[in-house]
Amino acid sequence: MSTVKEKPADRVPASRVDKFAERRAELGEAALQTLATLGYARTSLREIAQNSEFSHGVLHYYFSDKVDLIVCSVRQYKARCVTRYDKATIEATSVEELMAGFLAALGDTLRDEAHMHRLWYDLRSQALFEEAFRPDVTDIDKSLENMVWRVMSRFSELSGIPPALPPSTAYALLDGLFQQALFKHLSGDADAVTTMQADVRQAISTLMGLAAA
């Protein structure tokens, strides 16, 4: 007998797949705040239902388990998040303008959406233990790496200086600074945002050889 786990979409006729996906997206978005507050360990479909307007039955119909729901919600949030920096990247006409726009966007998202980022790091940590998370975490992580590299590539275009590190290393450096700042911010450090912005400025300037940036 097959032991392959049935996904909710497998129960839906092909003609309804698009509507099913749209409804999943709506539910995932609506549950995002609850997920960000509770975190992975304290979350179940029943717990999410108790903290939202949706019944446990509705959530269970559209999501096979909490892994399915969490991945859906975080993927949607991060898809929006990466576009936040594209505006600064596209519109900047100088190195300092790009630096200012990127640092401002980093500060805003850390200050205003800390709990959402906390959920992402929780999910990424759980992927070390839960194999079911790994394909989606890998995809999301790659989209963030690509976002960072778009920023670094724009710095290169504006300065005429090639980046000193490859995409994966540049991403690891900036992501590490952001995660460190997130922990400080959630711990009540009033200077977490400004310290992160200063550290990121220094890191990018060093990577790009921008002594005056």
Side-chain angles (χ1 to χ4, degrees), residues 113-178:
E113 300 177 350
H115 286 78
M116 300 301 182
H117 294 294
R118 180 177 68 176
L119 179 61
W120 158 241
Y121 286 115
D122 190 9
L123 177 65
R124 194 166 73 175
S125 295
Q126 289 300 323
L128 296 172
F129 303 94
E130 299 274 355
E131 187 175 353
F133 281 132
R134 290 173 192 166
D136 291 286
V137 165
T138 298
D139 287 346
I140 295 170
D141 217 36
K142 188 63 178 178
S143 73
L144 296 172
E145 179 183 315
N146 291 340
M147 177 273 293
V148 168
W149 195 244
R150 287 196 295 274
V151 174
M152 298 305 295
S153 296
R154 185 60 176 153
F155 272 115
S156 181
E157 291 174 2
L158 292 171
S159 67
I161 303 170
L165 294 174
S168 60
T169 309
Y171 168 56
L173 174 60
L174 297 187
D175 181 66
L177 291 173
F178 186 88

Side-chain angles (χ1 to χ4, degrees), residues 43-95:
T43 297
S44 67
L45 289 183
R46 190 172 300 280
E47 187 72 27
I48 294 168
Q50 291 174 354
N51 287 273
S52 71
E53 61 185 287
F54 307 109
S55 70
H56 177 254
V58 167
L59 292 177
H60 187 68
Y61 178 76
Y62 284 95
F63 301 97
S64 57
D65 52 27
K66 72 173 184 178
V67 171
D68 193 19
L69 175 54
I70 290 172
V71 167
C72 177
S73 297
V74 173
R75 182 181 282 277
Q76 289 177 194
Y77 171 69
K78 283 300 184 181
R80 291 198 309 275
C81 189
V82 297
T83 64
R84 177 178 292 121
Y85 306 99
D86 289 340
K87 184 174 186 293
T89 302
I90 294 170
E91 295 181 355
T93 58
S94 69
V95 167

Side-chain angles (χ1 to χ4, degrees), residues 181-198:
L182 176 64
F183 180 79
K184 291 179 179 178
H185 178 70
L186 292 171
S187 299
D189 186 343
D191 297 323
V193 172
T194 55
T195 298
M196 176 199 66
Q197 290 172 322

